[in-house]
Amino acid sequence: MSQRTLVLLKPDTVRRGLVGEVLGRFEAKGLRIVAMDLRTIDGELADQHYAEHVDKAFYPPLREFVTSGPMVAMVLEGDEAVEVVRALNGATDGRKAAPGTIRGDLSLSNRENLVHGSDSEESAAREIKLWFPDLP
Ligand code: IDP
């Protein structure tokens, strides 16, 4: 079943010059880019994007991090894209993520873990509308 999902290459990916490496993995897997934008977000969009986390202890430094510089936001499309992107990303904590995954190969942090991928089809619909309201 073809799906769309929202992917963010977080500010650490851009700062570390890993956009090509990370994007290349999604492309090599066969996912199609249907929208893409380099964007520095404000705290308001961060709060909306991470609405389920705003009350958590880790949120203030996460908010600081995701507003700290440009991110590459994109919508990827393909068969079971939500689950496929989550599998390519790996576990949240880069220190524990499996080798072979983006986080497992390239991140040593629980916060600066390079990528975001929507966690369900419902989240994907909400996040795509939030980030790319004009995408047909
Ligand atoms: P996910 O990105 O793997 O779906 P979530 O639990 O939705 O993980 O958390 C959102 C983001 O918040 C993570 O990607 C990471 O950047 C940050 N985060 C999650 N848990 C922690 C934590 O315990 N400490 C610091 N940052 C965290």
Side-chain angles (χ1 to χ4, degrees), residues 10 50 53 58 62 86 92 103 110-111 113 116:
K10 295 179 181 178
Y50 282 124
H53 294 316
F58 68 75
L62 174 64
R86 300 277 296 181
T92 303
R103 289 163 170 171
N110 202 9
R111 177 181 310 118
N113 58 4
H116 166 83

Side-chain angles (χ1 to χ4, degrees), residues 54-72:
V54 288
D55 296 324
K56 297 194 179 143
F58 68 75
Y59 186 66
L62 174 64
R63 186 185 205 258
E64 187 74 26
F65 167 53
V66 295
T67 58
S68 68
M71 292 201 272
V72 181

Side-chain angles (χ1 to χ4, degrees), residues 111-128:
R111 177 181 310 118
E112 303 205 2
N113 58 4
L114 300 165
V115 276
H116 166 83
S118 308
D119 66 6
S120 66
E121 202 167 15
E122 296 69 40
S123 299
R126 185 186 77 83
E127 293 171 4
I128 290 168

